[in-house]
Amino acid sequence: MKCAWLFFGGFTLLLISVASHAKGITLDKHFKHLQDISFAYTQQPLTPEQAKLLPAKSWQQLNQQSLNLGIANHAVWIKFIMTNAESYELPALLSIDNPLLDKVTVFHYHKGSTLLFKEIGDALPLDNRQIKNESLLVKLSLPPLSSSEVFLRVETKGGVRVPISVWQHDEYLKYKSKFNLLYGLLIGFVLSLAITCFVLFGFSRKSYFALSGCILITLWLQLVYLYGFGYRYFHPSIPSLQQLAIPCMLIITTGLFQPLFNRMRQSNKSPIQSLQRWSNHLLLSSLLVIWLLPTSLLVSYTLIASSLIMLIHCTAIVYDVKQSRSHPTSALLCGAISFFAALVYLNIVVFGLFDFNTRGLPFMFISFLVCALSLSFATIKYFLIERDAQIASQQARIAQSEAQDALLQERIELQEQAHLDLEANIEERTFELQVTLRELEEKNRALEQMNMEDALTQVKNRRYFDKKLVMDLRRSRREQTPLSVIMFDIDHFKKINDTYGHLTGDQAIQAVAQIIKSHLKRPLDEVARYGGEEFVVLLPNTPLDGALEIAQNVRQAIMDAAIKVASTEIKFTISAGVYCAVAEDINNPGLFTDCADKALYHAKQSGRNRVVSFPILD
């Protein structure tokens, strides 16, 4: 019975295969991996229903190779038949080995019914995929002992390259583990070279290390994006960035070769130097507008423009290498040629000019790796040459300096004796000068003291007070502390002069000065004769209450004191005006004295022998 069932199933599969007019893919339990499978394709604009009903003669057969149609602005339909030779449902993993396809719609049909419909691609969010992987993978379940049809509708504007393979799940995991290990080691090595360049730039501050590091970083990013890892890890929810990432990286990498070459060039002039500079500037400037272009035009412009500019760079470097073959630009030329070869390879692959085995793009990996090694070697070699040249220059300067030192030593020996004699004479003159300067300093100090002190009262004079007021104003504003000023004036002083004479008036002024001075306890508090019978007191960091208290104490002490002239005692009083504030404008020192003087004037007008503060409260 079982044999009859198997015979019937095989006969049915044969009929289906013949009816479909297409070669099928037969899978059994021993199946592990099929690569470059046979399939049919068409470029006609079809709906899914039209594709199912399209006659076999309208399909083009492709056997044992990848489909590469170059840049196309319309969708491509792919069709193949998968046959399960087992009596149970067989799982399979369909892999479209080009992660840069914009949109791939997968239709899986069995006997007219839809087993699977799925849309994947780098123009769609990562969440659309059955398997959250950088590769385009679709899980298929093949019905037992039957054939099913798989249709792929491929839409992409960056080159229709569709390598297809079918995997058994465990085999794909083994393959992917090995690939990711090798891939991780290689891109990790490129990234480590870039980091090394940046570290060397940090220590040496040589710009060519920074430029080389930037080129290596862009090479690393291109490898990451070419294999789909950039889309998966950097911006899985923003697929639109995927369309710009690789073109921008190609342009940036190409543009950075020119400034790096300029830092390392040997010859001063080159016949194509101007062409190289201006074409490179135009290429980099185009980064500002290329995002406005349609994707197909963007890809075409990037590949063609980058290749042409890179060819100019290589020509300029070749000219420089001919001037000095031992120069590190030879290694730079190797890196530039490797990157140019990768660009040419991309042009051939994307535009479909030649049928390479483009699965996995191994040539790109090898070219980028050679480029990274060459640039690292070139910059390090250039640094070593610069360092050796600096060391040689320093040694030459040292040798020249030693020769000059030998000549100078003879002169020094001849001059030493003269110096000894001269020093003896200088010491004598210096001692005499020091004595003279000391005497002059003492006289200047005495003169300065005379200029600062009032001759009658031996307290500070008006000139000193004006300078001290400005300094205290600055301290008050800087430290935001109150500064108090007290103005004292002897009451009815003219009457004292008229009654007892000017000698008695002078004694009264002296007595007032000493009493005020005796009430100032802090080193920074200062009293000065302001003019005639007026005195002014500066009290830094003193609030109004403290200033009023000192003024009242001075007023009371003078009222209680008496001046003896011959056998006569003279009593008199004083009035005081007080002003306290935190300085705001150091350019107006007269504000404090004017306010204190107004308060003093009010004290005089309101009966004398009293202390009044400003502002005056009626």
Side-chain angles (χ1 to χ4, degrees):
M1 185 68 179
K2 184 177 180 181
C3 293
W5 172 254
L6 291 175
F7 175 79
F8 177 75
F11 182 73
T12 302
L13 294 179
L14 179 61
L15 291 178
I16 295 174
S17 301
V18 171
S20 63
H21 300 282
K23 292 184 178 180
I25 304 169
T26 303
L27 305 181
D28 56 20
K29 63 182 179 181
H30 302 293
F31 150 74
K32 292 183 179 180
H33 171 222
L34 291 177
Q35 184 172 301
D36 293 329
I37 63 177
S38 300
F39 57 83
Y41 72 93
T42 180
Q43 294 179 271
Q44 299 181 35
L46 303 172
T47 64
E49 295 300 326
Q50 291 172 338
K52 291 171 61 177
L53 300 175
L54 190 68
K57 62 181 181 180
S58 299
W59 294 88
Q60 300 181 52
Q61 190 67 33
L62 191 69
N63 298 320
Q64 302 298 320
Q65 62 183 2
S66 300
L67 177 65
N68 191 348
L69 301 177
I71 293 179
N73 293 320
H74 48 270
V76 177
W77 281 91
I78 295 174
K79 172 187 174 182
F80 55 91
I81 298 172
M82 301 187 71
T83 302
N84 181 4
E86 300 294 341
S87 60
Y88 52 86
E89 189 176 85
L90 188 66
L93 198 62
L94 176 65
S95 174
I96 299 98
D97 300 322
N98 180 5
L100 303 181
L101 295 174
D102 295 347
K103 183 179 178 181
V104 179
T105 307
V106 182
F107 304 88
H108 188 194
Y109 298 115
H110 178 249
K111 295 181 179 180
S113 62
T114 301
L115 298 181
L116 175 70
F117 168 77
K118 195 64 184 174
E119 292 181 336
I120 56 177
D122 71 352
L124 301 173
L126 188 66
D127 292 337
N128 277 38
R129 302 186 182 185
Q130 285 180 308
I131 302 175
K132 303 300 185 293
N133 194 277
E134 63 279 356
S135 301
L136 301 180
L137 303 175
V138 179
K139 294 180 181 178
L140 299 177
S141 296
L142 305 181
L145 294 173
S146 62
S147 296
S148 56
E149 290 181 314
V150 177
F151 289 83
L152 304 181
R153 186 177 188 272
V154 180
E155 300 176 60
T156 185
K157 297 180 180 179
V160 181
R161 183 177 62 86
V162 193
I164 300 175
S165 57
V166 181
W167 296 80
Q168 192 267 342
H169 287 72
D170 293 338
E171 287 299 318
Y172 184 80
L173 290 177
K174 293 177 184 178
Y175 158 76
K176 198 61 177 177
S177 298
K178 294 178 182 178
F179 173 81
N180 286 347
L181 176 61
L182 179 61
Y183 176 80
L185 290 174
L186 291 176
I187 67 168
F189 179 68
V190 175
L191 182 60
S192 66
L193 291 178
I195 295 174
T196 301
C197 287
F198 286 123
V199 171
L200 292 174
F201 168 73
F203 284 107
S204 66
R205 296 298 177 185
K206 300 294 185 180
S207 59
Y208 47 79
F209 278 126
L211 291 169
S212 178
C214 291
I215 293 177
L216 296 181
I217 283 292
T218 56
L219 292 177
W220 177 78
L221 286 172
Q222 289 172 61
L223 289 175
V224 169
Y225 275 97
L226 281 171
Y227 288 86
F229 289 95
Y231 167 78
R232 177 182 178 185
Y233 292 108
F234 294 162
H235 44 80
S237 300
I238 313 176
S240 57
L241 294 180
Q242 179 78 357
Q243 312 300 322
L244 292 173
I246 296 177
C248 289
M249 290 301 106
L250 287 173
I251 291 176
I252 292 173
T253 306
T254 303
L256 289 175
F257 268 94
Q258 191 263 341
L260 177 62
F261 170 57
N262 282 346
R263 299 297 187 282
M264 300 174 60
R265 65 184 312 155
Q266 180 72 10
S267 58
N268 294 326
K269 293 183 179 180
S270 171
I272 61 171
Q273 183 176 352
S274 297
L275 175 62
Q276 181 192 18
R277 182 175 66 254
W278 285 108
S279 60
N280 198 66
H281 289 168
L282 290 174
L283 179 67
L284 292 176
S285 300
S286 66
L287 283 172
L288 301 174
V289 296
I290 60 171
W291 57 275
L292 299 173
L293 299 175
T295 303
S296 58
L297 186 57
L298 168 64
V299 172
S300 301
Y301 166 78
T302 300
L303 291 175
I304 295 173
S306 299
S307 300
L308 291 176
I309 302 303
M310 203 63 218
L311 179 60
I312 295 174
H313 292 339
C314 291
T315 305
I317 300 174
V318 167
Y319 179 85
D320 191 80
V321 169
K322 288 182 178 180
Q323 306 299 315
S324 177
R325 293 186 179 277
S326 61
H327 201 258
T329 46
S330 299
L332 179 62
L333 176 61
C334 180
I337 291 176
S338 299
F339 184 68
F340 176 67
L343 289 175
V344 173
Y345 178 78
L346 276 180
N347 277 275
I348 295 173
V349 170
V350 172
F351 293 112
L353 303 178
F354 187 78
D355 185 21
F356 284 120
N357 180 15
T358 57
R359 187 185 305 273
L361 300 178
F363 185 80
M364 296 292 297
F365 222 127
I366 296 172
S367 299
F368 282 10
L369 185 61
V370 172
C371 181
L373 289 170
S374 300
L375 293 183
S376 301
F377 174 80
T379 50
I380 293 175
K381 181 66 175 177
Y382 188 77
F383 174 74
L384 294 176
I385 291 175
E386 270 194 340
R387 188 198 61 180
D388 293 343
Q390 290 175 354
I391 293 175
S393 176
Q394 290 175 354
Q395 290 175 344
R397 288 197 297 267
I398 291 172
Q400 184 179 4
S401 178
E402 289 176 349
Q404 292 176 349
D405 290 343
L407 295 175
L408 289 175
Q409 187 63 33
E410 296 180 2
R411 297 181 182 179
I412 291 172
E413 291 175 355
L414 294 174
Q415 293 175 354
E416 281 183 354
Q417 187 60 41
H419 286 168
L420 292 175
D421 297 337
L422 182 60
E423 285 176 358
N425 293 332
I426 290 174
E427 287 179 358
E428 294 178 6
R429 300 294 184 270
T430 302
F431 178 74
E432 294 174 359
L433 181 60
Q434 288 176 346
V435 171
T436 303
L437 289 175
R438 191 177 297 111
E439 293 174 353
L440 181 60
E441 184 179 353
E442 291 175 355
K443 290 180 180 180
N444 285 338
R445 192 179 296 111
L447 180 60
E448 184 178 358
Q449 189 71 18
M450 291 173 61
N451 287 335
M452 290 192 305
E453 286 187 354
D454 180 61
L456 177 62
T457 60
Q458 274 71 55
V459 296
K460 298 297 189 258
N461 58 18
R462 173 72 176 272
R463 178 184 299 172
Y464 175 82
F465 167 76
D466 291 338
K467 295 180 180 179
K468 182 73 163 53
L469 176 60
V470 174
M471 290 190 293
D472 287 343
L473 285 174
R474 290 175 178 168
R475 183 182 297 110
S476 173
R477 188 181 71 170
R478 183 174 62 252
E479 300 176 358
Q480 290 296 294
T481 55
L483 173 64
S484 295
V485 175
I486 306 174
M487 296 285 290
F488 289 104
D489 185 75
I490 301 174
D491 296 332
H492 302 294
F493 183 72
K494 185 176 184 302
K495 185 177 179 180
I496 295 174
N497 274 339
D498 294 342
T499 303
Y500 300 101
H502 289 285
L503 181 59
T504 302
D506 290 345
Q507 290 177 345
I509 291 173
Q510 290 174 340
V512 171
Q514 294 305 315
I515 291 173
I516 295 174
K517 191 174 182 180
S518 66
H519 281 77
L520 303 180
K521 306 300 183 182
R522 300 184 306 176
L524 295 178
D525 296 343
E526 201 70 69
V527 59
R529 187 179 179 190
Y530 198 68
E533 69 277 14
E534 281 188 321
F535 292 88
V536 63
V537 175
L538 273 173
L539 300 172
N541 197 11
T542 302
L544 180 61
D545 293 343
L548 289 172
E549 182 180 354
I550 292 175
Q552 288 287 4
N553 291 340
V554 171
R555 183 194 64 79
Q556 187 65 42
I558 291 175
M559 187 176 68
D560 295 340
I563 299 175
K564 289 185 179 181
V565 178
S567 59
T568 304
E569 288 188 353
I570 299 175
K571 299 182 71 65
F572 58 90
T573 62
I574 65 170
S575 298
V578 181
Y579 178 67
C580 177
V582 176
E584 295 181 357
D585 185 6
I586 63 172
N587 297 318
N588 188 16
L591 174 65
F592 278 74
T593 55
D594 289 346
C595 292
D597 192 58
K598 290 177 181 178
L600 174 62
Y601 179 78
H602 190 272
K604 291 283 191 179
Q605 293 297 318
S606 58
R608 294 182 173 82
N609 191 22
R610 62 188 60 204
V611 177
V612 176
S613 65
F614 186 89
I616 301 166
L617 301 176
D618 294 334

